[in-house]
Amino acid sequence: MSQLNKAAKIMNLDKDIHEILKQPDRVLSVSIPIKMDSGEIKVFTGYRSQYNNTLGPYKGGIRYHPGVTLDEVKALSFWMMVKCATVNIPMGGGKGGVIVNPKELSEGELERLSRGYVQKIWRDIGSDKDVPAPDVYTTPQIMSWMRNEYEKLVGHKDPGVITGKPLEDGGSEGRGFSTAQGGVYCVRELAKKMNMKPEETTVAIQGYGNAGSFMAKILHKLGYKIVAVSDSKGGVFYNEHGLDPEKIDEIKKSGSPLACYCLGNACSIDDVPHEGPCKHINNDQLIELDVDILVPAALENQITADNAGKIKAKAIVELANGPTTPEADEILKEKGIVVVPDVLANAGGVTVSYFEWDQNVKGQHWSEEEVLQKLEKTMVTSFDEVWETKEKYNIDMRTAAFVKAIERVTEKLKS
Ligand code: NAD
């Protein structure tokens, strides 16, 4: 809400529209009784928040996590509205969640829970109403079960009811690395604005999962120097020539902690020199490295009032959702560090989700090349628009993205 209020003030937002945007359109809270493998019935709680569908059907992931709360789901659905509007895709904001630790369920229990969730919300979803997708701990397989359950209940095919499906069940080419690819387009456009040449630009990436590892690989291919990466167990820093993400992958696959490598072979962490050009670092050290671009790609709240003052990067590209606290934002702004906000930097994922929906409703299947061409166009145009808004109002890029997004929703609401 503080982000909405900040943008509303700058753009002198109509008071009535501001009020409308303060609440989700609809929130569903459901009980899902599931027969466990033991024979007992366990009742799970699920939510779906449909924030605003002014621009198109609600869109947003469903997370399975023991820490899911209604307030969190509502806030995430608001951010989805902003994200979709920032990159100008005709989708509204939505989010869902079930309070569960999926790691404690068998595959059969997980399937029954996923189908049970759809049995409770099916009247309010559909390719023309609300289109869920994967989020934390939900997978393409879960999306397939949900699509199947939905189609059984409505009695007809509707592949666009859900995105993030496996390719063979109507998924889109490119979805697996779309978040990272979108972030790469942002890095490229930012580098142009800041006169950074790829081969002279150093990048540190916190988080080496789906988003971070693809980002490292694509940037490396483009000539950027990936000098540090980390995961939950810590990371490595090698400034001289940069790291080769393919070799980092080999290390991760071997099950070892991230380590420097010795010409083609992963060295054990014990062999890694702790001083010198290649060294083992922790996540706090990674955030404070003297690099050109810092990419948080792990968790929320990593850049806080405690460490923002120590950040030396010239720019931050937020691949993770919510990695920077509002207090840290102020400090970074004062220091002149440019932040490409999550609602823009990681919007490649929802953009390709929208492409999946678009292909499904048109009965088409696009090649990876076509998907990437369209993604590039969307991301570059959106980046430029947010940059122009930032210049126009002399504000940071996050506030600019909110202003641009709310301008779009407002125009449509008034029309
Ligand atoms: P993931 O689970 O595949 O990877 C997360 C990575 O972060 C792992 O390597 C993990 O070891 C690491 N990690 C965990 N705790 C850490 C810590 N304290 N310090 C450093 N690293 C740590 O998740 P993902 O899909 O890559 O998502 C990462 C972030 O990107 C999340 O914030 C997510 O919301 C956001 N995001 C992802 C997508 C997507 O399509 N995958 C889309 C939009 C936003």
Side-chain angles (χ1 to χ4, degrees):
M1 283 307 107
S2 70
Q3 289 169 337
L4 171 66
N5 295 344
K6 198 168 167 188
K9 203 166 159 196
I10 286 160
M11 60 194 286
N12 202 13
L13 182 64
D14 179 289
K15 207 166 100 321
D16 296 339
I17 291 182
H18 191 173
E19 282 307 307
I20 292 172
L21 295 181
K22 280 182 182 171
Q23 293 293 334
D25 288 344
R26 181 184 296 109
V27 175
L28 307 171
S29 173
V30 297
S31 298
I32 315 161
I34 298 302
K35 191 164 196 174
M36 307 303 281
D37 292 347
S38 63
E40 68 166 335
I41 298 285
K42 208 166 164 188
V43 183
F44 294 89
T45 301
Y47 303 113
R48 183 79 188 160
S49 169
Q50 300 179 326
Y51 205 90
N52 186 288
N53 64 351
T54 304
L55 297 179
Y58 304 103
K59 178 105 200 71
I62 299 166
R63 64 174 53 179
Y64 283 180
H65 196 277
V68 163
T69 65
L70 181 56
D71 275 347
E72 180 194 58
V73 171
K74 280 158 78 172
L76 291 168
S77 67
F78 168 73
W79 276 315
M80 283 305 295
M81 175 192 78
V82 174
K83 199 181 285 191
C84 293
T86 299
V87 291
N88 204 13
I89 58 177
M91 292 276 172
K95 203 79 180 188
V98 178
I99 306 173
V100 60
N101 181 355
K103 291 177 187 166
E104 289 172 358
L105 300 192
S106 69
E107 200 185 352
E109 290 167 340
L110 200 57
E111 178 173 354
R112 293 195 288 283
L113 177 67
S114 306
R115 290 182 183 276
Y117 178 68
V118 173
Q119 284 158 15
K120 290 297 174 91
I121 65 163
W122 68 276
R123 286 181 187 80
D124 293 294
I125 62 171
S127 56
D128 56 350
K129 274 191 202 164
D130 181 358
V131 183
D135 194 74
V136 176
Y137 292 147
T138 45
T139 60
Q141 172 63 73
I142 292 175
M143 298 305 110
S144 257
W145 288 327
M146 290 186 171
R147 172 191 168 182
N148 179 265
E149 190 63 26
Y150 177 79
E151 290 180 342
K152 277 203 280 185
L153 290 160
V154 293
H156 60 82
K157 293 275 176 215
D158 189 8
V161 64
I162 207 155
T163 59
K165 303 179 293 293
L167 264 184
E168 60 280 10
D169 193 28
S172 178
E173 304 288 346
R175 176 64 187 94
F177 59 94
S178 54
T179 301
Q181 186 69 57
V184 167
Y185 293 135
C186 288
V187 168
R188 196 188 68 187
E189 297 310 300
L190 181 73
K192 284 186 209 159
K193 300 275 186 212
M194 296 180 73
N195 292 322
M196 296 176 179
K197 292 196 180 79
E199 58 283 6
E200 291 165 11
T201 303
T202 54
V203 183
I205 302 180
Q206 186 207 38
Y208 206 72
N210 177 290
S213 66
F214 276 119
M215 180 91 159
K217 277 176 223 147
I218 306 170
L219 285 179
H220 179 72
K221 274 201 192 116
L222 294 177
Y224 289 85
K225 274 167 81 172
I226 312 297
V227 296
V229 297
S230 68
D231 63 14
S232 55
K233 296 178 198 134
V236 281
F237 170 56
Y238 184 45
N239 205 4
E240 204 174 341
H241 304 293
L243 300 157
D244 178 349
E246 299 294 341
K247 294 203 174 81
I248 294 285
D249 261 14
E250 280 174 31
I251 297 166
K252 290 250 334 163
K253 274 186 201 137
S254 74
S256 310
L258 283 177
C260 294
Y261 43 79
C262 315
L263 292 173
N265 294 313
C267 298
S268 107
I269 196 79
D270 299 332
D271 301 332
V272 176
H274 284 244
E275 296 303 326
C278 183
K279 55 184 171 185
H280 189 218
I281 52 169
N282 62 33
N283 277 300
D284 294 339
Q285 291 168 315
L286 181 135
I287 290 208
E288 294 165 19
L289 285 175
D290 190 1
V291 290
D292 296 309
I293 299 177
L294 172 65
V295 180
L299 306 171
E300 61 279 1
N301 299 333
Q302 293 300 296
I303 302 172
T304 64
D306 291 339
N307 61 10
K310 297 181 206 150
I311 289 182
K312 299 178 196 71
K314 296 188 183 74
I316 296 173
V317 177
E318 294 183 336
L319 214 51
N321 277 316
T324 310
T325 65
E327 300 77 37
D329 252 342
E330 292 303 319
I331 299 170
L332 297 173
K333 194 175 169 207
E334 268 170 36
K335 289 183 71 168
I337 298 172
V338 180
V339 179
V340 184
D342 47 8
V343 290
L344 174 64
N346 71 30
V350 72
T351 302
V352 174
S353 265
Y354 155 63
F355 292 161
E356 179 177 332
W357 172 87
D358 201 22
Q359 292 168 75
N360 292 158
V361 295
K362 291 177 178 157
Q364 297 176 351
H365 185 80
W366 306 341
S367 65
E368 185 177 297
E369 198 188 355
E370 196 175 348
V371 170
L372 292 184
Q373 267 174 11
K374 289 178 200 278
L375 177 63
E376 180 173 13
K377 191 163 172 237
T378 300
M379 294 305 301
V380 172
T381 307
S382 310
F383 184 95
D384 285 345
E385 287 170 343
V386 171
W387 191 271
E388 274 166 28
T389 309
K390 154 185 140 34
E391 303 277 285
K392 179 175 161 192
Y393 294 105
N394 192 23
I395 49 180
D396 58 275
M397 281 187 87
R398 189 183 320 278
T399 312
F402 272 69
V403 167
K404 192 74 211 162
I406 292 161
E407 267 175 15
R408 285 202 170 105
V409 175
T410 306
E411 271 166 32
K412 194 77 193 288
L413 264 175
K414 283 184 173 166
S415 67

